[in-house]
Amino acid sequence: MSRTTATVAASLPDHWEQLVTTALLGTDRRTPPGVAPGPQAPSDLLDAAAAATVRRRAGLCPARPAERLRPAPEDPRPPLPPAAARRLAALLADRPGASGGGRRGAAPDLMELLPQWLQAANARGYAAPPQALPALLDAARGRTDLRPAALRFAGPRALWLARLNPDWRFALRAAPGGGPSARGLRDPQGIRRLWQEGLFAERVTLLTALRSRDAAAARALLEETWATERAEDRLMFLDSLRAGLAPDDETFLERALADRSRNVRETAAELLSALPASALAARMAARAAACVAMDRTRDVPTIVVEAPHECDAAMERDGVVAKAPAGRGERSWWLGQLVEAAPLGTWPGRLGGRTPEEIVALPVADGWQGELHAAWCRAAVRQRDAAWSRALLGEPSAPEAGGPGAVSLAERARLLAALDAGERAAWVAGFIETHGLSEAFQLLGVCAVPWAPPLGRAVVDALNIARDAGSYPWSFSGVMGLAERCLDPSEASRLDALLAIPDEPEDAAPGAGSYWSEAFQRLVTTLRLRGAMLAELTPGEPAP
């Protein structure tokens, strides 16, 4: 260090911030203390900064050593077979391309097969390869629909990784093991501390996990802080009671009917109406029964309806919304809510001991049939009543395509969910055979995978008919995509005859034949790939 530098360093206090400020403003506007103004000032400033840097580095105290990172936990599950591990790597490496109508080419969409692969791997209890965990977490981060299966397959090591990367922190909230462990759920103090101090997502996870293990304890925990929770949080917490809903929840839910939030009151009333023996269900049954009766004076027994003339305070407390939506009459609006919330067991006794099928077949006077049947539809969905769902759906070949109560495709899909998988598939197959595929997409979405043989045959036959008719092919791309994921892989060999480019009718869409050929080629290729995937996960079984 030069003599000038030493002099400056000795005379200039080590105020780093002052030096930085002077350097930014310039020595013409500010001169550091101990430095004479003039042409030498910039050089003196740099000398001072150099000396200060040395002092700062020399005076740096060593930091305390960080705690050594604990090794990742062991995953006790068996490893994947080598072929299945290679398949997983290929599925995770694939990037989703354009989707929707107009997807061309015969190559399968691998990312759309990943959910099924994960489901099959989880069913067999395999552990994820450690090297695949980062890609699995990235895939789950980008697609929320993948998270439950991906995180279950990824196992405890994924949670260990997620704590090290902020981009993967979602796994700590979403994974079954990201919340309290089974051991933690036995620690009352730990549960209470997490409930009182945890983030909202952690509290929801805790409540959900505890609810599945000890419903009464979860409800008691919620009751402790209920009065101090925010309205939006109360709504989410209340919704967690749907799992394991039981008569023991009635007292708490009755108190929630007086909540400050209308949304909370409505949710509490909905949950109570799903308990047929609850006091609210009895009150709604009495109100609904007073509005619906049997007129036996006519030539044909007929249901008559007298809708409510007012919505009183007691009805509002029980969840009836007084203000009707635009375009709806108030009385019909109130009637629908009463019938929807009344136990379906009310009606056979009220309407002459008839079965649900017989009740649905009765005429309804004065144009009230649509409103009454639609409310029964909502009740059947809420109460998951298979007998009423079956009656309201009617025969799949009916001209009204779903029965008098099924006012929309979405409503039919919800009614189908109350039936067992075999009956559901048979009903949708009959619907497709009569009405084709144009309205079947939502109905297919509620059917179990792989589709039962009658349903698979109905879908393939309808696609073949549409192809031979020269139908506009892109309108069937959604159903074709479902078929790729849902048809039984054993159907692949039966589809080989559909791979040729068909002769196009004169009125066919341009290029339709080529599109149909590519679509069926992609379908066959995907089915065979799915079969190979399952075989790889079950060594010793040949691919179908």
Side-chain angles (χ1 to χ4, degrees):
M1 184 182 295
S2 67
R3 181 175 300 176
T4 303
T5 302
T7 302
V8 172
S11 62
L12 187 62
D14 186 12
H15 298 302
W16 183 257
E17 295 299 329
Q18 292 185 19
L19 294 175
V20 171
T21 302
T22 300
L24 291 173
L25 295 176
T27 54
D28 291 341
R29 298 179 61 186
R30 174 177 293 187
T31 303
V35 176
Q40 186 64 24
S43 178
D44 290 345
L45 173 64
L46 293 176
D47 287 342
T53 298
V54 172
R55 284 201 298 267
R56 287 162 61 86
R57 290 176 178 174
L60 182 66
C61 295
R64 289 181 176 273
E67 182 180 353
R68 183 184 295 274
L69 190 64
R70 295 180 180 179
E74 293 295 327
D75 193 332
R77 298 174 296 177
L80 276 175
R86 291 191 295 272
R87 180 73 65 188
L88 173 62
L91 293 175
L92 290 172
D94 189 64
R95 292 293 179 265
S99 59
R103 181 163 71 95
R104 299 303 299 267
D109 187 344
L110 298 186
M111 277 300 292
E112 289 305 314
L113 296 180
L114 182 59
Q116 285 192 16
W117 189 97
L118 290 169
Q119 182 182 15
N122 285 330
R124 291 159 174 78
Y126 287 121
Q131 66 272 19
L133 293 177
L136 266 174
L137 287 168
D138 283 339
R141 180 190 178 205
R143 285 182 56 176
T144 56
D145 61 307
L146 280 178
R147 287 182 184 179
L151 295 177
R152 179 185 170 193
F153 177 63
R157 291 183 173 183
L159 300 181
W160 181 86
L161 275 178
R163 292 185 177 94
L164 305 177
N165 185 346
D167 289 344
W168 298 333
R169 291 294 173 89
F170 69 89
L172 303 178
R173 300 186 297 269
S181 64
R183 179 180 301 176
L185 290 176
R186 301 189 190 100
D187 177 14
Q189 292 183 348
I191 289 174
R192 190 175 302 278
R193 182 168 57 252
L194 181 57
W195 179 250
Q196 294 175 348
E197 302 174 5
L199 300 174
F200 173 70
E202 294 172 331
R203 299 176 75 209
V204 171
T205 301
L206 169 65
L207 190 64
T208 302
L210 188 60
R211 178 74 176 176
S212 64
R213 185 178 184 87
D214 187 342
R219 187 179 61 250
L221 194 68
L222 181 56
E223 287 182 285
E224 287 182 8
T225 60
W226 181 257
T228 60
E229 303 288 356
R230 300 182 306 165
E232 55 267 34
D233 294 351
R234 292 199 304 276
L235 182 62
M236 290 292 292
F237 292 144
L238 192 64
D239 200 60
S240 70
L241 299 186
R242 294 182 189 276
L245 185 67
D248 289 344
D249 298 318
E250 181 179 359
T251 301
F252 172 69
L253 293 173
E254 276 283 346
R255 290 200 299 271
L257 290 176
D259 196 86
R260 302 183 301 275
S261 165
R262 188 187 74 180
N263 289 334
V264 172
R265 294 195 302 271
E266 291 177 0
T267 300
E270 179 188 346
L271 292 173
L272 282 167
S273 68
L275 296 172
S278 68
L280 178 136
R283 294 193 296 269
M284 299 301 265
R287 293 175 181 129
C291 298
V292 181
M294 180 69 70
D295 185 353
R296 296 180 176 84
T297 63
R298 306 189 184 207
D299 295 338
V300 176
T302 301
I303 296 175
V304 291
V305 174
E306 180 65 28
H309 290 273
E310 64 173 344
C311 181
D312 57 32
M315 289 169 60
E316 288 195 64
R317 182 184 180 277
D318 283 347
V320 177
V321 179
K323 184 175 177 57
R328 287 290 302 273
E330 284 186 331
R331 296 182 66 197
S332 64
W333 171 244
W334 299 332
L335 173 75
Q337 293 179 79
L338 295 181
V339 173
E340 175 183 355
L344 289 163
T346 302
W347 304 112
R350 178 65 175 165
L351 301 175
R354 290 173 170 83
T355 65
E357 288 81 1
E358 292 169 337
I359 291 172
V360 170
L362 288 171
V364 182
D366 302 324
W368 283 103
Q369 177 171 303
E371 187 67 51
L372 183 61
H373 284 197
W376 279 335
C377 269
R378 296 192 296 273
V381 170
R382 180 181 297 185
Q383 298 170 39
R384 299 194 65 81
D385 190 299
W388 275 89
S389 295
R390 194 176 296 115
L392 290 160
L393 280 166
E395 292 298 323
S397 58
E400 294 182 3
V407 295
S408 69
L409 286 168
E411 197 78 54
R412 290 175 221 161
R414 287 191 285 268
L415 287 169
L416 282 167
L419 306 181
D420 64 57
E423 186 176 3
R424 200 182 313 161
W427 196 94
V428 177
F431 180 94
I432 292 171
E433 289 169 0
T434 303
H435 306 286
L437 289 170
S438 59
E439 295 185 350
F441 185 80
Q442 285 181 284
L443 307 181
L444 288 167
V446 300
C447 293
V449 177
W451 288 336
L455 178 57
R457 287 192 294 271
V459 170
V460 172
D461 290 345
L463 287 171
N464 192 22
I465 290 170
R467 181 192 71 155
D468 290 345
S471 299
Y472 193 66
W474 294 274
S475 61
F476 294 93
S477 59
V479 174
M480 188 67 79
L482 272 180
E484 292 172 17
R485 300 187 294 273
C486 302
L487 267 177
D488 193 304
S490 62
E491 295 286 322
S493 58
R494 198 170 67 86
L495 300 174
D496 286 337
L498 303 178
L499 301 182
I501 298 177
D503 296 331
E504 296 183 6
E506 293 182 0
D507 56 348
S514 176
Y515 175 93
W516 280 113
S517 177
E518 286 182 357
F520 278 116
Q521 179 66 60
R522 184 171 59 245
L523 175 58
V524 170
T525 304
T526 303
L527 292 179
R528 288 183 172 144
L529 177 56
R530 284 175 53 211
M533 284 167 35
L534 295 176
E536 291 162 357
L537 287 165
T538 312
E541 289 189 9

